Coordinates of all heavy atoms in Angstrom, one line a residue:
L1 N 97.9 90.7 174.8 CA 97.0 89.9 175.6 C 97.3 88.5 175.4 O 97.3 88.0 174.2 CB 95.6 90.3 175.4 CG 94.5 89.5 176.2 CD1 94.7 89.8 177.7 CD2 93.1 89.9 175.8
L2 N 97.5 87.8 176.5 CA 97.7 86.3 176.4 C 96.7 85.6 177.2 O 96.4 86.0 178.4 CB 99.1 85.9 176.9 CG 100.2 86.0 175.9 CD1 100.6 87.4 175.5 CD2 101.5 85.3 176.5
S3 N 96.1 84.6 176.7 CA 95.1 83.7 177.4 C 95.8 82.4 177.8 O 96.4 81.7 177.0 CB 93.9 83.4 176.5 OG 93.1 82.4 177.1
S4 N 95.6 82.0 179.1 CA 96.3 80.8 179.6 C 95.6 79.6 179.3 O 95.8 78.5 179.9 CB 96.6 81.0 181.1 OG 95.4 81.0 181.9
C5 N 94.6 79.7 178.4 CA 93.9 78.4 177.9 C 93.5 78.7 176.5 O 93.6 79.8 176.0 CB 92.7 78.1 178.8 SG 91.3 79.2 178.5
P6 N 93.2 77.6 175.8 CA 92.8 77.7 174.4 C 91.5 78.5 174.2 O 90.8 78.8 175.2 CB 92.6 76.2 173.9 CG 93.4 75.4 174.9 CD 93.2 76.2 176.2
P7 N 91.1 78.9 173.0 CA 89.8 79.6 172.8 C 88.6 78.8 173.3 O 88.5 77.6 173.0 CB 89.8 79.7 171.2 CG 91.2 79.6 170.8 CD 91.9 78.7 171.7
L8 N 87.7 79.5 174.0 CA 86.5 78.8 174.5 C 85.5 78.9 173.4 O 84.9 80.0 173.1 CB 86.0 79.6 175.7 CG 86.8 79.4 177.0 CD1 86.3 80.5 178.1 CD2 86.4 78.0 177.6
K9 N 85.1 77.8 172.9 CA 84.3 77.7 171.7 C 82.9 77.1 172.0 O 82.0 77.1 171.2 CB 84.9 77.0 170.5 CG 86.2 77.7 170.0 CD 86.7 77.0 168.7 CE 87.9 77.8 168.1 NZ 88.4 77.2 166.9
F10 N 82.8 76.4 173.2 CA 81.6 75.7 173.4 C 81.1 76.0 174.8 O 81.9 76.1 175.7 CB 81.8 74.2 173.2 CG 82.2 73.8 171.9 CD1 83.6 73.7 171.5 CD2 81.3 73.5 170.9 CE1 84.0 73.4 170.3 CE2 81.7 73.2 169.6 CZ 83.0 73.2 169.2
P11 N 79.7 76.1 175.1 CA 79.2 76.3 176.4 C 79.4 75.2 177.4 O 79.6 74.0 176.9 CB 77.8 76.6 176.2 CG 77.6 76.6 174.7 CD 78.7 75.9 174.1
D12 N 79.3 75.5 178.6 CA 79.3 74.4 179.7 C 77.8 74.0 180.0 O 77.0 74.9 180.2 CB 80.0 74.9 180.9 CG 80.1 73.8 182.0 OD1 79.1 73.5 182.6 OD2 81.2 73.4 182.2
F13 N 77.5 72.8 179.9 CA 76.2 72.3 180.3 C 76.2 71.5 181.5 O 75.2 70.8 181.8 CB 75.6 71.5 179.1 CG 75.4 72.3 177.9 CD1 76.1 72.1 176.8 CD2 74.3 73.2 177.8 CE1 75.9 72.9 175.6 CE2 74.1 73.9 176.7 CZ 74.9 73.8 175.6
Y14 N 77.2 71.6 182.3 CA 77.4 70.7 183.5 C 77.4 71.5 184.8 O 78.3 71.3 185.6 CB 78.7 69.9 183.4 CG 78.7 68.9 182.2 CD1 79.9 68.7 181.4 CD2 77.5 68.2 181.8 CE1 79.9 67.8 180.4 CE2 77.5 67.4 180.7 CZ 78.7 67.2 180.0 OH 78.7 66.3 178.9
G15 N 76.4 72.4 184.9 CA 76.3 73.1 186.2 C 76.8 74.5 186.3 O 76.7 75.1 187.4
I16 N 77.5 74.9 185.3 CA 78.1 76.3 185.3 C 77.4 77.2 184.4 O 77.1 76.8 183.2 CB 79.6 76.3 184.9 CG1 80.4 75.3 185.8 CG2 80.2 77.7 185.0 CD1 80.5 75.7 187.3
D17 N 77.0 78.4 184.8 CA 76.2 79.3 183.9 C 77.1 80.0 183.0 O 77.3 81.2 183.2 CB 75.4 80.2 184.8 CG 74.4 81.1 184.1 OD1 74.1 80.7 182.9 OD2 74.0 82.2 184.5
T18 N 77.5 79.4 181.9 CA 78.3 80.1 180.9 C 77.4 80.5 179.8 O 76.3 80.1 179.7 CB 79.4 79.1 180.3 OG1 78.8 77.9 179.9 CG2 80.5 78.8 181.4
P19 N 77.8 81.5 179.0 CA 77.0 82.0 177.9 C 76.6 81.0 176.8 O 77.3 80.0 176.7 CB 77.8 83.2 177.3 CG 79.0 83.4 178.3 CD 79.2 82.1 179.0
H20 N 75.6 81.3 176.1 CA 75.3 80.6 174.9 C 76.4 80.7 173.9 O 77.2 81.6 173.9 CB 74.0 81.1 174.2 CG 72.8 81.0 175.1 ND1 72.3 79.7 175.4 CD2 72.0 81.9 175.8 CE1 71.2 79.9 176.2 NE2 71.0 81.2 176.4
Q21 N 76.5 79.7 173.0 CA 77.7 79.7 172.1 C 77.7 80.9 171.2 O 78.8 81.4 170.9 CB 77.5 78.4 171.2 CG 78.8 78.2 170.4 CD 78.7 76.9 169.5 OE1 77.7 76.5 169.1 NE2 79.8 76.3 169.3
K22 N 76.6 81.5 170.9 CA 76.6 82.8 170.0 C 77.2 83.9 170.7 O 77.6 84.9 170.1 CB 75.2 83.1 169.6 CG 74.2 83.4 170.7 CD 72.8 83.6 170.2 CE 71.8 83.9 171.3 NZ 70.4 83.9 171.0
Q23 N 77.3 83.8 172.1 CA 78.0 84.9 172.9 C 79.4 84.6 173.2 O 80.1 85.5 173.7 CB 77.2 85.1 174.2 CG 75.8 85.6 174.0 CD 75.1 85.6 175.4 OE1 75.0 84.6 176.1 NE2 74.6 86.8 175.7
L24 N 79.9 83.4 172.8 CA 81.3 83.1 173.0 C 82.1 83.7 171.8 O 82.0 83.2 170.7 CB 81.6 81.6 173.2 CG 80.9 80.9 174.3 CD1 81.0 79.4 174.3 CD2 81.5 81.4 175.7
I25 N 83.0 84.6 172.1 CA 83.7 85.4 171.0 C 84.5 84.4 170.1 O 84.5 84.6 168.9 CB 84.5 86.6 171.6 CG1 84.8 87.5 170.4 CG2 85.7 86.1 172.4 CD1 85.3 88.8 170.9
A26 N 85.2 83.4 170.7 CA 86.1 82.5 170.0 C 85.3 81.6 169.1 O 85.9 81.0 168.2 CB 87.0 81.8 170.9
A27 N 84.0 81.4 169.4 CA 83.1 80.5 168.5 C 82.6 81.3 167.3 O 82.1 80.7 166.3 CB 81.9 80.0 169.3
N28 N 82.8 82.6 167.3 CA 82.2 83.4 166.2 C 83.2 84.3 165.5 O 82.9 84.9 164.4 CB 81.1 84.3 166.8 CG 80.0 83.4 167.4 OD1 79.2 82.9 166.7 ND2 80.0 83.4 168.7
M29 N 84.5 84.4 166.0 CA 85.5 85.1 165.3 C 86.8 84.4 165.3 O 87.1 83.5 166.1 CB 85.8 86.4 166.1 CG 84.7 87.5 166.1 SD 85.3 89.0 166.9 CE 83.8 89.9 167.0

């Protein structure tokens, strides 16, 4: 599996409903 961007470690607070940081897998593993 290859991801075409770096690990997502921080949520978006600028109008996009992304998960809380504790739910972002790359922020916790």
